[in-house]
Amino acid sequence: MLCPSVQADQTVPDRVDFNRDVRPIFNEHCVACHGGVKQAGGLSFVYPESVEGVIEPGSASDSYLLDRVLLPVDEEEHMPPIEHGRALNEAEIATLRGWIDQGGEWGKHWAYQPPAKSNLNQAEDDQWSRSRIDRFILRKLRAAELSPQPEATAARWLRRVTLELTGLPPTPDEVDAFELAAEQLGDVAYEHAVDRLLMSSRYGERWASVWLDTIRYADSKGLGLDGRRTIWQFRDWVIRALGADMPYDEFTISQLAGDLLPDPTMADLLATACHRTTQTNEEGGTDDETFRTEAVIDRVSTTWQAWMGLSFGCVQCHSHPYDPIEHEEFYEFLAFFNNTTDSDLGNELPTLAVPVDTDDYPLARELDQQIEQIWKGEWDRVNQLVVDGSHWKPVSDLKLQTNNNTQVVVSHDAGIEQYQTTGTVQRNTTVKIDCKVDPSVSKITALRLIGFPKDAAKALVDSEWGFLVSHIDASVLASDGETTKLEFAEVISDEPDPLLDPNDSLNAKSSRGVGPYSRIHYPRTAAFLLKTPVALNDGDRLHVDLVFNGVELGAFPLIAHRGQIAVSDSNGFTNWLDDEDRVANRQTIQELRNKRKAIASIPTPIMSQRYEPFSRPSRVFDRGNQMTKTDPVEPGTPGFLPALSDQPVSPQDARLAMARWVASPRNPLTARVAVNRIWSQLFGVGIVETQEDFGIAGAAPSHPELLDDLAARFQDEMGWSIKTLLREIVLSSTYRQSARITPEALQIDPFNRLLSRGPRNRLPAEMIRDQALSIGGLLSDKQFGPPVFPPLPGGVWKPFQGSDKWSTVAPTDPNRYRRTIYTYTKRTIPYPVMASFDAPSREFCSMRRLPSNTPLQALMTLNDATFVEAAQGLAGRMADHDGPIDQQLDYGFRLATCRSPSETERAALRELYNESGDDSQAAMTAVANVLMNLDEVLSQ
């Protein structure tokens, strides 16, 4: 007997909608056991092909699914099992029956379908709508029997929109001018005001802070000692890109793969620092490959959340519980990022010397390209000789020793003798090789070292620490005892642009040099070319000292554990060294480098692709454990979304193809997520409340047709222009509403999800501080540059003052009053204003800031040094204003609120002033402090 535990309305719609009616039933009752993680009995209610086996489309009575659901609750095979929750109620059963009888069609989740422009027309009796946005809002309001609020006053709207677009309040003069223009020109005045604000140099700073939350930007490394990272030029790039209204698709591609564009600019390369903001751990003894992999995983999760609004991180360990994303697909996507050259080391390589002055970008990039092009041509010529096996003869009869307790033995590979370390190796090891040269070699023009992993097969799965030949000494020992030292002129790496200079191997004092830095998967080669050939006679022996002084993270010697030495007598190496064109090219390269060094630049971490022959292999991590790698994978995107490309994609260009896929109109998520993020900034909550999750478990959109319409037009009509999108929203009647709430709206629309009134939200942390400085007349106009260090409460920085000193800027230095976006951002100790107002610490991607209201916030705005100085500044502005005390108080009130006080408010201000003592400055400061802490001032 069926005994549903909950009774409900059994009405079934004429047409059951899978996403609206059926999927919620599966999510509530079924996916815990039959989802993406656990698939009991091989059944998953995440994948349609799995469910096809338990329903008979068109006949609910013949469907196994209904048979199990309709069993008596106390029977063992009843679904869902009683221990897993309540039985389906009658309405839910009726819905499933109706769905199956109507064909059992599986509906694709709304967010995974391409957004489409709506054909919604303006109603004949609609006198309110100014834009397409308003028509969608009005339809929902009328359906809920609500009406829009009247317009906000011109001054209130101007304050709201100025704060939203620039992060700063308007001045009294701007308010006066706008009120006059609005009275005379009407809507045209609003359009002119928005156009002026969008052109403001402050616009980029305001909207950059939103993106920097998302992309987890910080000026520190995060883990371990959380040391400083010089990456502020990326922050400036974001400000400039948004200020210039870079199309969002270009903005996306530049950050994800700007280095792989056909002809990348300096700005394109700098943009890739976006994914160098991951946390690194420079503590001694940590494994750089572990934390490099963690950084790559973070890049995957951040890319999905920031651009596509999906919680992709859980797929690292198992298939997605709700969305059709399989475990292996996480690692296919990870493969896009797995072949960048960065590691988890303190030196932040690779870095780009980014000019301080953006006017120098074109020249600096041109010089870099010229140097690269000339050297690549020369490297190609000589590398053909290096890789040609016919030019080399392996040495034999090896006699081995080291300068310390590191043990080496002779082993063989394909009949060729090589040295091999055994046991533990020490730091600063020199492997000394005494060997015999093949009798057919009459002279030596070059030496070659091939360094191997200890375990070649295992290294393809789990890389080993690499090696650096920090110096090489070699000599020929004649049978009569005479020694001839080999003088080397050039060191050739097996990649054209290694992270470290191979010629450092010729410097006896260097700890760097040629070699695979910092990990090794494959055998790696280094060739050492002699200045002049050295003749060989029968009986001569070769002595080679390979010096390995490189150490990483204080504990890991960078030594080649297995190595083969070969010699060459080819004249090709000598001819290349002596070639007039090579000599001229070398001179030209040096001249170009000198010109490049003359351009003031800052090394900034960027993304760079590994040389393709040494690409890292990518594999699935069993249950997300990187220590247990299983099947190999190639770069790919999840199957539930459109394919990556219609054309084959080369491994070297895979990340660029992925970036273009993310920013493609074919991707149904990217535009929706971007539009929703912008909407949430303006209205306090997105059309989809869960900005970080557009998946099946996320919140449904409050206005799905509006979101799709905006997303489709954002890509097409607006050309991915964020400013165009913002302009349409802030000029809408929806945005122009008063924030006042009626009793009816409070009951029906308490959280303003229907937009029955205008937005009124607490300002974010940066805006609260910047507004205070602006009202106080202290805000600096200076833009860009290194992070600054405004005042901190005593003791806050004490744990790090020794290793990462906070040098508070003096009151006479304008840097003390720079906008908050330029404040030094340390992950382990966030700037107190940011922390008190619950801004994210930037350790991970943050899609939204949750509103909060704690006593610490009031304590901060009343007592923090910056706010006290701002109040003193406002007091000074009030005191300097012409007129009697009442006019001065009115002026301060207008500076803070952008409106004139009422008679009641004016009387309260005068009373406060009179009660604050005989010291007029102190009294005015007390009034200023109160004004700056009004709820009206701290809110939108």
PDB file of all heavy atoms in Angstrom, residues 34-60:
ATOM      1  N   HIS A  34      22.021   7.803  -6.411  1.00  0.00           N
ATOM      2  CA  HIS A  34      22.088   7.598  -7.858  1.00  0.00           C
ATOM      3  C   HIS A  34      22.442   8.932  -8.522  1.00  0.00           C
ATOM      4  O   HIS A  34      21.663   9.492  -9.291  1.00  0.00           O
ATOM      5  CB  HIS A  34      20.745   7.088  -8.396  1.00  0.00           C
ATOM      6  CG  HIS A  34      20.249   5.842  -7.742  1.00  0.00           C
ATOM      7  ND1 HIS A  34      20.749   4.595  -8.017  1.00  0.00           N
ATOM      8  CD2 HIS A  34      19.291   5.661  -6.783  1.00  0.00           C
ATOM      9  CE1 HIS A  34      20.121   3.688  -7.293  1.00  0.00           C
ATOM     10  NE2 HIS A  34      19.238   4.306  -6.521  1.00  0.00           N
ATOM     11  N   GLY A  35      23.611   9.453  -8.179  1.00  0.00           N
ATOM     12  CA  GLY A  35      24.027  10.746  -8.733  1.00  0.00           C
ATOM     13  C   GLY A  35      25.321  10.641  -9.497  1.00  0.00           C
ATOM     14  O   GLY A  35      25.604   9.638 -10.156  1.00  0.00           O
ATOM     15  N   GLY A  36      26.132  11.685  -9.392  1.00  0.00           N
ATOM     16  CA  GLY A  36      27.413  11.673 -10.077  1.00  0.00           C
ATOM     17  C   GLY A  36      28.488  10.995  -9.256  1.00  0.00           C
ATOM     18  O   GLY A  36      29.412  10.392  -9.802  1.00  0.00           O
ATOM     19  N   VAL A  37      28.408  11.089  -7.916  1.00  0.00           N
ATOM     20  CA  VAL A  37      29.416  10.489  -7.049  1.00  0.00           C
ATOM     21  C   VAL A  37      29.119   9.015  -6.830  1.00  0.00           C
ATOM     22  O   VAL A  37      29.921   8.140  -7.146  1.00  0.00           O
ATOM     23  CB  VAL A  37      29.465  11.231  -5.701  1.00  0.00           C
ATOM     24  CG1 VAL A  37      30.551  10.635  -4.819  1.00  0.00           C
ATOM     25  CG2 VAL A  37      29.719  12.718  -5.917  1.00  0.00           C
ATOM     26  N   LYS A  38      27.946   8.744  -6.291  1.00  0.00           N
ATOM     27  CA  LYS A  38      27.526   7.356  -6.040  1.00  0.00           C
ATOM     28  C   LYS A  38      26.475   6.975  -7.065  1.00  0.00           C
ATOM     29  O   LYS A  38      25.484   7.687  -7.249  1.00  0.00           O
ATOM     30  CB  LYS A  38      26.962   7.240  -4.625  1.00  0.00           C
ATOM     31  CG  LYS A  38      26.598   5.818  -4.208  1.00  0.00           C
ATOM     32  CD  LYS A  38      26.073   5.812  -2.773  1.00  0.00           C
ATOM     33  CE  LYS A  38      25.671   4.407  -2.345  1.00  0.00           C
ATOM     34  NZ  LYS A  38      25.127   4.390  -0.973  1.00  0.00           N
ATOM     35  N   GLN A  39      26.695   5.869  -7.733  1.00  0.00           N
ATOM     36  CA  GLN A  39      25.761   5.405  -8.764  1.00  0.00           C
ATOM     37  C   GLN A  39      25.341   3.970  -8.438  1.00  0.00           C
ATOM     38  O   GLN A  39      25.773   3.007  -9.070  1.00  0.00           O
ATOM     39  CB  GLN A  39      26.396   5.502 -10.151  1.00  0.00           C
ATOM     40  CG  GLN A  39      26.805   6.927 -10.531  1.00  0.00           C
ATOM     41  CD  GLN A  39      27.346   7.045 -11.944  1.00  0.00           C
ATOM     42  OE1 GLN A  39      27.156   6.168 -12.774  1.00  0.00           O
ATOM     43  NE2 GLN A  39      28.034   8.141 -12.205  1.00  0.00           N
ATOM     44  N   ALA A  40      24.521   3.849  -7.392  1.00  0.00           N
ATOM     45  CA  ALA A  40      24.092   2.531  -6.927  1.00  0.00           C
ATOM     46  C   ALA A  40      23.367   1.793  -8.047  1.00  0.00           C
ATOM     47  O   ALA A  40      22.522   2.361  -8.749  1.00  0.00           O
ATOM     48  CB  ALA A  40      23.173   2.684  -5.706  1.00  0.00           C
ATOM     49  N   GLY A  41      23.709   0.544  -8.202  1.00  0.00           N
ATOM     50  CA  GLY A  41      23.091  -0.271  -9.235  1.00  0.00           C
ATOM     51  C   GLY A  41      23.398   0.192 -10.641  1.00  0.00           C
ATOM     52  O   GLY A  41      22.706  -0.186 -11.592  1.00  0.00           O
ATOM     53  N   GLY A  42      24.428   1.024 -10.801  1.00  0.00           N
ATOM     54  CA  GLY A  42      24.778   1.538 -12.125  1.00  0.00           C
ATOM     55  C   GLY A  42      23.806   2.572 -12.648  1.00  0.00           C
ATOM     56  O   GLY A  42      23.825   2.907 -13.843  1.00  0.00           O
ATOM     57  N   LEU A  43      22.962   3.131 -11.759  1.00  0.00           N
ATOM     58  CA  LEU A  43      21.943   4.091 -12.174  1.00  0.00           C
ATOM     59  C   LEU A  43      22.307   5.483 -11.667  1.00  0.00           C
ATOM     60  O   LEU A  43      22.627   5.665 -10.492  1.00  0.00           O
ATOM     61  CB  LEU A  43      20.576   3.678 -11.630  1.00  0.00           C
ATOM     62  CG  LEU A  43      19.418   4.664 -11.846  1.00  0.00           C
ATOM     63  CD1 LEU A  43      19.143   4.850 -13.329  1.00  0.00           C
ATOM     64  CD2 LEU A  43      18.166   4.169 -11.115  1.00  0.00           C
ATOM     65  N   SER A  44      22.258   6.476 -12.560  1.00  0.00           N
ATOM     66  CA  SER A  44      22.516   7.861 -12.190  1.00  0.00           C
ATOM     67  C   SER A  44      21.418   8.747 -12.754  1.00  0.00           C
ATOM     68  O   SER A  44      21.080   8.655 -13.941  1.00  0.00           O
ATOM     69  CB  SER A  44      23.873   8.327 -12.733  1.00  0.00           C
ATOM     70  OG  SER A  44      24.025   9.730 -12.558  1.00  0.00           O
ATOM     71  N   PHE A  45      20.868   9.599 -11.904  1.00  0.00           N
ATOM     72  CA  PHE A  45      19.854  10.545 -12.346  1.00  0.00           C
ATOM     73  C   PHE A  45      20.477  11.873 -12.784  1.00  0.00           C
ATOM     74  O   PHE A  45      19.788  12.886 -12.873  1.00  0.00           O
ATOM     75  CB  PHE A  45      18.822  10.776 -11.228  1.00  0.00           C
ATOM     76  CG  PHE A  45      17.858   9.634 -11.080  1.00  0.00           C
ATOM     77  CD1 PHE A  45      18.131   8.595 -10.202  1.00  0.00           C
ATOM     78  CD2 PHE A  45      16.708   9.586 -11.842  1.00  0.00           C
ATOM     79  CE1 PHE A  45      17.245   7.531 -10.064  1.00  0.00           C
ATOM     80  CE2 PHE A  45      15.820   8.525 -11.721  1.00  0.00           C
ATOM     81  CZ  PHE A  45      16.092   7.484 -10.831  1.00  0.00           C
ATOM     82  N   VAL A  46      21.776  11.842 -13.057  1.00  0.00           N
ATOM     83  CA  VAL A  46      22.473  13.004 -13.618  1.00  0.00           C
ATOM     84  C   VAL A  46      22.576  12.884 -15.130  1.00  0.00           C
ATOM     85  O   VAL A  46      22.537  13.876 -15.852  1.00  0.00           O
ATOM     86  CB  VAL A  46      23.872  13.151 -12.988  1.00  0.00           C
ATOM     87  CG1 VAL A  46      24.676  14.247 -13.694  1.00  0.00           C
ATOM     88  CG2 VAL A  46      23.746  13.478 -11.503  1.00  0.00           C
ATOM     89  N   TYR A  47      22.689  11.652 -15.619  1.00  0.00           N
ATOM     90  CA  TYR A  47      22.906  11.413 -17.040  1.00  0.00           C
ATOM     91  C   TYR A  47      21.668  10.795 -17.672  1.00  0.00           C
ATOM     92  O   TYR A  47      21.171   9.749 -17.221  1.00  0.00           O
ATOM     93  CB  TYR A  47      24.109  10.492 -17.236  1.00  0.00           C
ATOM     94  CG  TYR A  47      25.370  11.036 -16.596  1.00  0.00           C
ATOM     95  CD1 TYR A  47      25.775  10.604 -15.336  1.00  0.00           C
ATOM     96  CD2 TYR A  47      26.124  12.004 -17.241  1.00  0.00           C
ATOM     97  CE1 TYR A  47      26.912  11.114 -14.738  1.00  0.00           C
ATOM     98  CE2 TYR A  47      27.276  12.520 -16.656  1.00  0.00           C
ATOM     99  CZ  TYR A  47      27.660  12.075 -15.405  1.00  0.00           C
ATOM    100  OH  TYR A  47      28.782  12.592 -14.822  1.00  0.00           O
ATOM    101  N   PRO A  48      21.138  11.399 -18.732  1.00  0.00           N
ATOM    102  CA  PRO A  48      19.879  10.914 -19.318  1.00  0.00           C
ATOM    103  C   PRO A  48      19.965   9.488 -19.847  1.00  0.00           C
ATOM    104  O   PRO A  48      19.007   8.720 -19.733  1.00  0.00           O
ATOM    105  CB  PRO A  48      19.609  11.908 -20.455  1.00  0.00           C
ATOM    106  CG  PRO A  48      20.920  12.581 -20.725  1.00  0.00           C
ATOM    107  CD  PRO A  48      21.642  12.596 -19.425  1.00  0.00           C
ATOM    108  N   GLU A  49      21.123   9.120 -20.395  1.00  0.00           N
ATOM    109  CA  GLU A  49      21.237   7.774 -20.958  1.00  0.00           C
ATOM    110  C   GLU A  49      21.113   6.700 -19.873  1.00  0.00           C
ATOM    111  O   GLU A  49      20.723   5.560 -20.156  1.00  0.00           O
ATOM    112  CB  GLU A  49      22.562   7.606 -21.706  1.00  0.00           C
ATOM    113  CG  GLU A  49      23.808   7.877 -20.882  1.00  0.00           C
ATOM    114  CD  GLU A  49      24.228   9.332 -20.877  1.00  0.00           C
ATOM    115  OE1 GLU A  49      23.406  10.201 -21.265  1.00  0.00           O
ATOM    116  OE2 GLU A  49      25.380   9.615 -20.483  1.00  0.00           O
ATOM    117  N   SER A  50      21.439   7.062 -18.633  1.00  0.00           N
ATOM    118  CA  SER A  50      21.296   6.113 -17.533  1.00  0.00           C
ATOM    119  C   SER A  50      19.831   5.923 -17.164  1.00  0.00           C
ATOM    120  O   SER A  50      19.372   4.800 -16.906  1.00  0.00           O
ATOM    121  CB  SER A  50      22.090   6.582 -16.314  1.00  0.00           C
ATOM    122  OG  SER A  50      21.961   5.663 -15.248  1.00  0.00           O
ATOM    123  N   VAL A  51      19.070   7.011 -17.164  1.00  0.00           N
ATOM    124  CA  VAL A  51      17.660   6.949 -16.760  1.00  0.00           C
ATOM    125  C   VAL A  51      16.809   6.260 -17.823  1.00  0.00           C
ATOM    126  O   VAL A  51      15.747   5.712 -17.517  1.00  0.00           O
ATOM    127  CB  VAL A  51      17.140   8.377 -16.479  1.00  0.00           C
ATOM    128  CG1 VAL A  51      15.669   8.360 -16.053  1.00  0.00           C
ATOM    129  CG2 VAL A  51      17.985   9.035 -15.389  1.00  0.00           C
ATOM    130  N   GLU A  52      17.278   6.258 -19.071  1.00  0.00           N
ATOM    131  CA  GLU A  52      16.510   5.620 -20.137  1.00  0.00           C
ATOM    132  C   GLU A  52      16.203   4.153 -19.834  1.00  0.00           C
ATOM    133  O   GLU A  52      15.198   3.604 -20.305  1.00  0.00           O
ATOM    134  CB  GLU A  52      17.280   5.720 -21.463  1.00  0.00           C
ATOM    135  CG  GLU A  52      17.329   7.135 -22.029  1.00  0.00           C
ATOM    136  CD  GLU A  52      18.248   7.229 -23.244  1.00  0.00           C
ATOM    137  OE1 GLU A  52      18.858   6.186 -23.600  1.00  0.00           O
ATOM    138  OE2 GLU A  52      18.374   8.323 -23.815  1.00  0.00           O
ATOM    139  N   GLY A  53      17.038   3.522 -19.015  1.00  0.00           N
ATOM    140  CA  GLY A  53      16.839   2.107 -18.720  1.00  0.00           C
ATOM    141  C   GLY A  53      15.765   1.826 -17.702  1.00  0.00           C
ATOM    142  O   GLY A  53      15.386   0.665 -17.514  1.00  0.00           O
ATOM    143  N   VAL A  54      15.240   2.859 -17.023  1.00  0.00           N
ATOM    144  CA  VAL A  54      14.256   2.613 -15.971  1.00  0.00           C
ATOM    145  C   VAL A  54      12.916   3.270 -16.260  1.00  0.00           C
ATOM    146  O   VAL A  54      12.029   3.287 -15.402  1.00  0.00           O
ATOM    147  CB  VAL A  54      14.785   3.075 -14.595  1.00  0.00           C
ATOM    148  CG1 VAL A  54      15.971   2.238 -14.178  1.00  0.00           C
ATOM    149  CG2 VAL A  54      15.119   4.556 -14.602  1.00  0.00           C
ATOM    150  N   ILE A  55      12.758   3.870 -17.427  1.00  0.00           N
ATOM    151  CA  ILE A  55      11.458   4.418 -17.805  1.00  0.00           C
ATOM    152  C   ILE A  55      11.074   3.888 -19.187  1.00  0.00           C
ATOM    153  O   ILE A  55      11.943   3.508 -19.986  1.00  0.00           O
ATOM    154  CB  ILE A  55      11.452   5.964 -17.818  1.00  0.00           C
ATOM    155  CG1 ILE A  55      12.355   6.510 -18.939  1.00  0.00           C
ATOM    156  CG2 ILE A  55      11.829   6.536 -16.469  1.00  0.00           C
ATOM    157  CD1 ILE A  55      12.193   8.015 -19.161  1.00  0.00           C
ATOM    158  N   GLU A  56       9.804   3.873 -19.447  1.00  0.00           N
ATOM    159  CA  GLU A  56       9.286   3.499 -20.755  1.00  0.00           C
ATOM    160  C   GLU A  56       8.552   4.732 -21.291  1.00  0.00           C
ATOM    161  O   GLU A  56       7.399   4.990 -20.928  1.00  0.00           O
ATOM    162  CB  GLU A  56       8.311   2.324 -20.637  1.00  0.00           C
ATOM    163  CG  GLU A  56       7.847   1.771 -21.974  1.00  0.00           C
ATOM    164  CD  GLU A  56       8.973   1.162 -22.781  1.00  0.00           C
ATOM    165  OE1 GLU A  56       9.876   0.524 -22.171  1.00  0.00           O
ATOM    166  OE2 GLU A  56       8.977   1.331 -24.016  1.00  0.00           O
ATOM    167  N   PRO A  57       9.243   5.548 -22.111  1.00  0.00           N
ATOM    168  CA  PRO A  57       8.617   6.795 -22.573  1.00  0.00           C
ATOM    169  C   PRO A  57       7.232   6.563 -23.152  1.00  0.00           C
ATOM    170  O   PRO A  57       7.025   5.679 -24.000  1.00  0.00           O
ATOM    171  CB  PRO A  57       9.590   7.288 -23.649  1.00  0.00           C
ATOM    172  CG  PRO A  57      10.905   6.696 -23.263  1.00  0.00           C
ATOM    173  CD  PRO A  57      10.579   5.352 -22.689  1.00  0.00           C
ATOM    174  N   GLY A  58       6.275   7.341 -22.660  1.00  0.00           N
ATOM    175  CA  GLY A  58       4.900   7.230 -23.125  1.00  0.00           C
ATOM    176  C   GLY A  58       4.051   6.301 -22.288  1.00  0.00           C
ATOM    177  O   GLY A  58       2.828   6.258 -22.463  1.00  0.00           O
ATOM    178  N   SER A  59       4.641   5.562 -21.371  1.00  0.00           N
ATOM    179  CA  SER A  59       3.866   4.600 -20.577  1.00  0.00           C
ATOM    180  C   SER A  59       4.425   4.510 -19.163  1.00  0.00           C
ATOM    181  O   SER A  59       5.321   3.718 -18.881  1.00  0.00           O
ATOM    182  CB  SER A  59       3.880   3.217 -21.237  1.00  0.00           C
ATOM    183  OG  SER A  59       3.160   2.283 -20.455  1.00  0.00           O
ATOM    184  N   ALA A  60       3.867   5.320 -18.276  1.00  0.00           N
ATOM    185  CA  ALA A  60       4.314   5.280 -16.884  1.00  0.00           C
ATOM    186  C   ALA A  60       4.010   3.940 -16.241  1.00  0.00           C
ATOM    187  O   ALA A  60       4.774   3.450 -15.397  1.00  0.00           O
ATOM    188  CB  ALA A  60       3.655   6.417 -16.099  1.00  0.00           C
TER     189      ALA A  60
END
